[in-house]
């Protein structure tokens, strides 16, 4: 519980003071309530004896009531007045954070995981944790304060409280140990099924096209079933401890009343005091039962907060203290060795090559040989463990990420389109571009036929037609984006076999348009691309084993020539050996 209050404290940042005041007010409010109830020890005897003090006592109660209301105002101010601000600031901070962390960190996490943190966790955590925190503080402080008061009335009453408390805590302890494991498991299952949903929906066009909507739902259904099962298991396992916890709380009430009755019969306590004990006992047990019932929600909230905290704690990519600018587009890999986190073998090793300004370099090699890793290293997916990547002579670690991204356009096979219009999806490459400019690049990227099918042309939302965009069309939209950005360096992962032949020609034309006069790095899958490249890098196991132009490599009679011979018979340039 304390850790939850602390987590909110960290997340609240600029609202920290309001939050601390809310918690302090909650404590004060609880103490005031306890004092009000404890005043029964004076009030009940006064009523029985018809003493003159009743008036004063009642007035005292009214004062306490007013104080309580004032304190309550502060207590609620965090949840009701500031929570919305805290949430939006939190999301902005999470967003800012995600921009500075290495892309490697992001891809290590499943997309569903991050979206639950950003969308769900952030809201639930800030909203719930705020309200829950102050409520829980109250629910704990009231019984504690009442118990202390009772100890002053007669120390033997404390024995009854302690006995019930031990039982309640035992239940609570069991509950927490069962729950804390399950909550993590539940979150993992939630994240898994969220990722599967994203994956499934994004893949729908392909599944539909290949008539396999049902078959590919298996992974999704499995994840959803697993999610249900985890929830079920958790609920079942915590039922008994929860019941034990609330029995403990009830034991306190019964124990106190029994003890007071015994003391009254014994003559060591007045009947009036015993009556007050009974009333206070009920008031003491009630919050404890409630607190027990809330533990589950608290556990879930706390876990959500922890996940947010984890994202906020990811170390960012080191940023230069005084950033340089990039001039020119010559790319140099100088002795670059890159290793993915948690991998012992580097994915690319001691790699040195130059992409001359305006040249086209094709990367070829079997799957897993390091082609994508080269592309990622150039985009500073994460930093290499040795060597450096320079653009126009500047180490890419000496420039800001946004400066680097200004100089690179990338078109990968998987194209992500936001649920916005086609226009805006393209414009995000250069937000200042006019509608006409976007229309021009869509035209240049061969998107005409695609736009003709859209009810409102480029103003059609992608979400409305998500299933109608083929792989080739999505890729052309991505190329239009890259054209609009007009960066001097282009990284291209050539489409493999997923396209139909019409699409293929259209995409190829669009690509030709994109790479004109640019410094280009292609992960090549096409004979034509490889044959016309200014430079081919043949990769194997993260190393360059051959380098040169097509004719040179063919006559060298090495690995490349062997692959070429084996593959020319096949329709497509696809190196698998
Ligand atoms: P290619 O693009 O030629 O298929 P990659 O660059 O993707 O090759 O992969 C090079 C090596 O790095 C492979 O051994 C692959 O398993 C490994 N690798 C690729 N991506 C990751 C990743 N995200 N995490 C860990 N290892 C990876």
């Amino acid at each position: 519980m304390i850790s939850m209050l602390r987590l909110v404290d960290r997340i609240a940042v600029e609202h920290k003071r309001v939050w601390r005041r809310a918690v302090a007010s909650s404590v004060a409010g609880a103490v005031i309530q306890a004092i009000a109830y404890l005043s029964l020890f004076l009030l009940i005897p006064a009523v029985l004896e018809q003493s003159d003090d009743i008036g004063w006592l009642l007035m005292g109660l009214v004062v306490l009531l007013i104080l309580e209301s004032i304190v309550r105002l502060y207590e609620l101010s965090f949840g009701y007045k500031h929570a919305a601000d805290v949430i939006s600031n939190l999301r902005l901070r999470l967003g800012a954070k995600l921009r500075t962390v290495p892309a490697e960190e992001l891809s290590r996490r499943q997309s569903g995981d991050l979206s639950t943190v950003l969308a769900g966790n952030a809201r639930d955590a800030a909203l719930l944790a705020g309200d829950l925190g102050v409520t829980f503080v109250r629910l704990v402080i009231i019984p504690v304060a009442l118990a202390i008061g009772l100890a002053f009335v007669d120390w033997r009453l404390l024995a009854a409280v302690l006995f019930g408390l031990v039982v309640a805590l035992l239940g609570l302890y069991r509950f927490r140990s069962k729950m804390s494991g399950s909550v993590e498991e539940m979150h993992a299952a939630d994240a898994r099924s969220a990722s599967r949903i994203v994956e499934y929906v994004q893949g729908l066009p392909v599944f539909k096209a290949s008539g396999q909507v049902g078959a590919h739902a298996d992974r999704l259904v499995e994840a959803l079933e697993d999610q249900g099962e985890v929830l079920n298991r958790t609920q079942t396992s915590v039922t008994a401890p929860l019941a034990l916890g609330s029995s403990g709380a009830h034991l306190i009430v019964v124990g106190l009343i029994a003890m007071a009755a015994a003391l009254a019969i014994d003559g060591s306590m007045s009947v009036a005091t015993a009556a007050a004990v009974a009333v206070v006992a009920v008031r003491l047990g009630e919050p404890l039962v409630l607190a027990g019932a809330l533990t589950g929600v608290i556990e879930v909230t706390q876990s959500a907060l922890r996940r947010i905290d984890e994202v906020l704690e990811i170390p960012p990519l080191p940023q230069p203290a005084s950033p340089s600018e990039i001039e020119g587009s010559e790319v140099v890999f100088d002795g670059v060795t890159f290793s993915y986190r948690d991998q012992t073998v580097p994915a690319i090793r001691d790699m040195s090559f130059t992409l001359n300004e305006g040249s086209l370099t094709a990367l070829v090699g079997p799957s897993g040989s390091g082609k994508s890793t080269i592309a990622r290293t150039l985009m500073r997916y994460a930093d290499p463990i040795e060597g450096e990547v320079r653009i126009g002579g500047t180490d890419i670690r000496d420039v800001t990420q946004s400066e680097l991204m200004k100089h690179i356009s990338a078109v990968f096979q998987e194209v992500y389109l936001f649920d916005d219009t086609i226009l805006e999806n393209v414009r995000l490459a250069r937000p200042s571009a006019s509608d006409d400019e976007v229309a021009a690049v869509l035209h240049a990227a061969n998107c005409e036929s695609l736009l003709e099918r859209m009810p409102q042309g480029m103003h059609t939302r992608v979400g409305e037609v998500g299933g109608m965009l083929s792989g080739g069309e999505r890729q052309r939209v991505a190329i239009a984006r890259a054209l609009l950005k007009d960066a001097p360096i282009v990284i291209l992962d050539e489409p493999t076999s997923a396209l139909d032949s019409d699409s293929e020609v259209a995409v190829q034309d669009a690509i030709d348009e994109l790479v004109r006069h640019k410094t280009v790095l292609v992960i090549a899958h096409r004979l034509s691309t490889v044959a016309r490249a200014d430079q081919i890098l043949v990769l194997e196991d993260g190393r360059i084993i051959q380098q040169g132009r097509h004719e040179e490599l063919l006559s060298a009679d090495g690995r490349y020539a062997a692959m070429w011979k084996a593959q020319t018979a096949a329709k497509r340039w696809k190196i698998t050996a």
Side-chain angles (χ1 to χ4, degrees):
M1 178 60 209
I2 300 290
S3 70
M4 181 168 105
L5 297 181
R6 249 197 238 125
L7 279 168
V8 178
D9 200 60
R10 278 167 65 162
I11 282 168
V13 196
E14 61 272 59
H15 294 88
K16 210 169 256 189
R17 277 189 43 209
V18 188
W19 169 242
R20 291 186 178 172
R21 204 173 57 196
V23 175
S25 310
S26 181
V27 174
V31 172
I32 294 173
Q33 261 201 36
I35 293 174
Y37 273 92
L38 289 171
S39 73
L40 288 177
F41 285 102
L42 301 175
L43 197 63
I44 294 180
V47 171
L48 289 180
E49 289 159 20
Q50 299 189 341
S51 134
D52 294 341
D53 295 340
I54 294 179
W56 288 111
L57 285 169
L58 286 178
M59 246 165 71
L61 267 182
V62 171
V63 171
L64 286 179
L65 192 77
I66 295 171
L67 262 179
E68 222 270 314
S69 314
I70 296 172
V71 164
R72 186 102 182 135
L73 215 67
Y74 285 111
E75 182 183 325
L76 294 178
S77 65
F78 181 81
Y80 286 85
K81 271 194 3 222
H82 299 280
D85 273 355
V86 172
I87 296 166
S88 70
N89 285 344
L90 181 60
R91 286 199 172 130
L92 287 177
R93 264 194 315 141
L94 281 167
K97 181 79 204 185
L98 294 183
R99 280 198 294 278
T100 65
V101 305
E104 176 173 27
E105 278 295 338
L106 302 184
S107 61
R108 275 160 55 89
R109 292 156 198 267
Q110 292 175 308
S111 57
D113 189 13
L114 279 173
S115 63
T116 14
V117 168
L118 265 168
N121 292 167
R123 185 200 53 229
D124 299 351
L127 261 187
L128 263 179
D131 283 348
L132 218 58
V134 289
T135 308
F136 201 77
V137 165
R138 229 166 221 267
L139 294 181
V140 172
I141 300 288
I142 290 177
V144 170
L146 289 178
I148 294 173
L150 286 178
F152 278 104
V153 172
D154 192 314
W155 67 268
R156 282 166 291 190
L157 292 172
L158 208 57
V161 176
L162 288 180
F163 178 66
L165 206 61
V166 168
V167 177
L169 288 179
L170 203 71
L172 197 68
Y173 175 75
R174 298 273 308 145
F175 175 82
R176 284 196 56 141
S177 62
K178 290 222 181 291
M179 195 72 187
S180 59
S182 308
V183 166
E184 292 308 320
E185 212 186 328
M186 249 155 40
H187 267 303
D190 288 352
R192 231 175 2 251
S193 64
S195 295
R196 292 277 184 274
I197 291 172
V198 172
E199 175 188 279
Y200 186 73
V201 172
Q202 281 180 349
L204 261 182
V206 181
F207 300 154
K208 273 187 184 162
S210 54
Q212 288 184 308
V213 179
H216 283 80
D218 287 356
R219 274 158 67 84
L220 174 62
V221 171
E222 198 181 297
L224 290 176
E225 278 173 359
D226 177 48
Q227 189 184 17
E229 197 198 310
V230 172
L231 187 64
N232 219 331
R233 211 171 39 233
T234 310
Q235 302 289 54
T236 315
S237 72
V238 299
T239 314
L242 255 188
L244 186 67
S246 73
S247 311
H250 290 129
L251 254 178
I252 295 179
V253 180
V254 176
L256 274 176
I257 295 174
M259 179 71 84
L263 291 174
I265 292 168
D266 186 34
S268 52
M269 184 181 277
S270 73
V271 175
T273 307
V277 170
V279 178
V280 168
V282 172
R283 184 65 193 120
L284 193 152
E286 203 179 346
L288 283 182
V289 175
L290 260 176
L294 280 183
T295 329
V297 192
I298 286 180
E299 204 63 49
V300 173
T301 311
Q302 198 160 315
S303 150
L305 287 176
R306 262 200 301 270
R307 294 166 84 81
I308 292 173
D309 208 44
E310 258 172 39
V311 174
L312 291 174
E313 291 294 298
I314 302 175
L317 262 182
Q319 294 297 313
S322 47
S324 311
E325 307 244 299
I326 292 176
E327 271 170 45
S329 68
E330 181 198 63
V331 174
V332 175
F333 270 57
D334 189 355
V336 174
T337 298
F338 179 90
S339 190
Y340 288 97
R341 254 180 68 174
D342 311 330
Q343 298 283 315
T344 43
V345 186
I348 53 175
R349 272 173 286 185
D350 194 20
M351 201 156 266
S352 296
F353 59 84
T354 301
L355 314 183
N356 290 326
E357 223 162 278
S359 72
L360 188 149
T361 299
L363 298 176
V364 301
S367 164
S369 58
K371 304 182 292 291
S372 317
T373 306
I374 292 178
R376 289 182 189 143
T377 314
L378 176 52
M379 297 176 75
R380 208 176 168 204
Y381 176 80
D383 287 332
I385 49 177
E386 257 174 61
E388 58 183 46
V389 179
R390 294 188 293 270
I391 299 178
T394 308
D395 189 326
I396 58 171
R397 284 171 294 201
D398 293 336
V399 303
T400 60
Q401 193 70 11
S402 60
E403 167 75 2
L404 177 64
M405 283 306 128
K406 256 192 248 163
H407 292 77
I408 302 177
S409 287
V411 178
F412 289 111
Q413 298 211 26
E414 297 225 334
V415 178
Y416 185 79
L417 297 179
F418 293 92
D419 180 19
D420 203 331
T421 58
I422 308 258
L423 173 81
E424 295 306 334
N425 260 290
V426 173
R427 184 155 34 210
L428 65 91
R430 179 152 61 85
S432 62
S434 67
D435 287 10
D436 287 344
E437 283 173 300
V438 175
V441 292
L442 279 167
H443 172 76
N446 262 329
C447 291
E448 240 90 42
S449 61
L450 173 166
L451 293 179
E452 273 163 22
R453 281 177 28 223
M454 305 284 142
Q456 286 116 30
M458 67 177 182
H459 300 284
T460 313
R461 289 185 79 88
V462 170
E464 292 165 27
V465 292
M468 279 159 59
L469 285 184
S470 71
E473 288 172 336
R474 297 171 81 88
Q475 198 134 34
R476 275 178 274 160
V477 174
I479 292 170
R481 257 183 202 163
L483 279 171
L484 187 69
K485 186 166 170 184
D486 198 26
I489 300 168
V490 173
I491 298 175
L492 181 68
D493 189 1
E494 265 189 341
T496 39
S497 48
L499 312 181
D500 56 66
S501 54
D502 279 352
S503 239
E504 188 151 331
V505 175
V507 170
Q508 194 55 51
D509 287 351
I511 287 177
D512 289 345
E513 181 67 31
L514 174 65
V515 303
R516 198 175 295 156
H517 315 304
K518 299 283 197 299
T519 304
V520 188
L521 183 67
V522 193
I523 298 176
H525 300 289
R526 286 179 155 64
L527 292 164
S528 56
T529 311
V530 185
R532 75 182 162 127
D534 299 300
Q535 166 177 243
I536 301 166
L537 303 178
V538 185
L539 304 180
E540 197 173 77
D541 286 338
R543 291 182 193 279
I544 301 174
I545 53 164
Q546 275 188 297
Q547 183 171 0
R549 292 183 67 96
H550 179 63
E551 301 77 28
E552 292 164 13
L553 292 178
L554 271 190
S555 57
D557 206 25
R559 193 96 173 91
Y560 182 83
M563 290 191 289
W564 176 262
K565 274 181 208 133
Q567 298 288 330
T568 30
K571 277 201 192 112
R572 193 172 303 280
W573 174 254
K574 196 170 169 223
I575 297 167
T576 50

